[in-house]
Amino acid sequence: DIMQKTNKIFIILVFLIGILINPCIVEASSGTINITSSSNTVVVGNTVTVNITLSSSSPLGAWEFDVNYDSSFLKLTSSNAENNGTYFVNSGNGTAKSKSYTLKFRALKSGSTNITVGSYDIYAFDTSKMSINKSNKKITIMTQQELEATYSKDNNLKSLSVEGFELDKPFDKDTLDYTVNVPTGTTAVKVVATENDKTASVSGTGDIEVTEGLNTVPIVVTAQNGDQKTYNLTINV
């Protein structure tokens, strides 16, 4: 719009005039425009936060650039850009070497989409035009059903033991029942178990109180997709 273009012209012209007044040769500075996101995968209807960071090897002077996105996949819901959109234009204070912006988008439909840096003009505070490396950000959008279909079904244990004692048989992920004999007078044992898949969770381990006789300890493995498997450990005191 008119105000946006006026801001750009004023800020950039100030630095261009500086070059004309002081035409000494300066070593070109370098910088980056980096795009990161709160998540690489977003569920349809949810919000993803995108951070845009302009950084430089020397103090920033003036800048203007825009960020492009596909509005059929993403809807911009908030921005702290100078025009509250995806166009960024400002000038530095002579000391700052970076400037960050935050955008929030709502995911509209399944698929993959890219957020990219468009045109840009970046100047260092010494009025030299900067060389810029820019990054893109790929966002994958799924429905909740599509996301859950990717969850691991692995609800196996990788190992099972009782500290200081031996199981009645070698551990096998497909064998669910084990027994450990411990001396009379034992009041607690430490059960150690490791999940086969790091996305799974295990309950029933740690320090377990036992009494004289047979004590059954269920060790439940819950896969990422919610499927459960129970290993039964009998502690015979």
Side-chain angles (χ1 to χ4, degrees):
D1 57 30
I2 294 175
M3 182 63 71
Q4 174 177 304
K5 291 180 178 178
T6 301
N7 287 342
K8 171 184 174 181
I9 292 170
F10 175 77
I11 292 172
I12 301 302
L13 276 181
V14 168
F15 282 84
L16 290 176
I17 290 170
I19 293 174
L20 293 175
I21 294 174
N22 181 26
C24 59
I25 298 174
V26 293
E27 184 179 350
S29 301
S30 62
T32 61
I33 302 174
N34 191 39
I35 305 177
T36 60
S37 63
S38 57
S39 176
N40 294 328
T41 303
V42 189
V43 172
V44 173
N46 287 357
T47 297
V48 59
T49 299
V50 175
N51 296 305
I52 316 291
T53 303
L54 168 63
S55 58
S56 167
S57 59
S58 60
L60 291 167
W63 61 89
E64 65 91 12
F65 64 94
D66 57 15
V67 166
N68 302 320
Y69 67 96
D70 188 335
S71 60
S72 69
F73 284 97
L74 298 168
K75 180 178 181 180
L76 183 67
T77 58
S78 71
S79 167
N80 67 347
E82 287 77 14
N83 73 335
N84 298 318
T86 57
Y87 174 78
F88 313 91
V89 55
N90 216 324
S91 59
N93 59 11
T95 59
K97 294 183 179 181
S98 67
K99 174 67 176 179
S100 295
Y101 297 94
T102 300
L103 310 176
K104 290 187 178 182
F105 295 92
R106 187 170 73 248
L108 300 179
K109 67 178 182 179
S110 296
S112 293
T113 188
N114 290 300
I115 300 173
T116 63
V117 178
S119 61
Y120 61 87
D121 271 310
I122 315 292
Y123 293 87
F125 201 76
D126 62 11
T127 72
S128 62
K129 191 167 185 176
M130 295 171 55
S131 62
I132 295 294
N133 290 319
K134 55 183 182 177
S135 69
N136 300 326
K137 185 63 187 179
K138 181 180 179 181
I139 303 291
T140 300
I141 304 173
M142 297 182 175
T143 64
Q144 185 64 36
Q145 184 177 11
E146 288 171 335
L147 179 63
E148 290 177 1
T150 69
Y151 290 171
S152 171
K153 301 177 182 179
D154 190 342
N155 56 6
N156 295 303
L157 283 181
K158 183 178 183 180
S159 64
L160 175 64
S161 62
V162 177
E163 270 192 11
F165 304 99
E166 290 188 3
L167 301 179
D168 63 328
K169 62 179 75 70
F171 174 77
D172 182 277
K173 64 182 179 62
D174 296 320
T175 301
L176 302 183
D177 297 299
Y178 299 90
T179 299
V180 173
N181 296 312
V182 301
T184 299
T186 301
T187 58
V189 296
K190 185 172 184 178
V191 176
V192 180
T194 304
E195 66 276 15
N196 193 57
D197 188 318
K198 292 301 181 182
T199 64
S201 60
V202 180
S203 64
T205 60
D207 293 327
I208 306 296
E209 292 184 358
V210 293
T211 58
E212 196 80 15
L214 300 178
N215 303 261
T216 301
V217 180
I219 300 162
V220 181
V221 186
T222 304
Q224 187 183 27
N225 73 340
D227 289 351
Q228 292 187 328
K229 176 182 284 188
T230 300
Y231 294 83
N232 295 301
L233 178 62
T234 299
I235 310 296
N236 181 26
V237 182

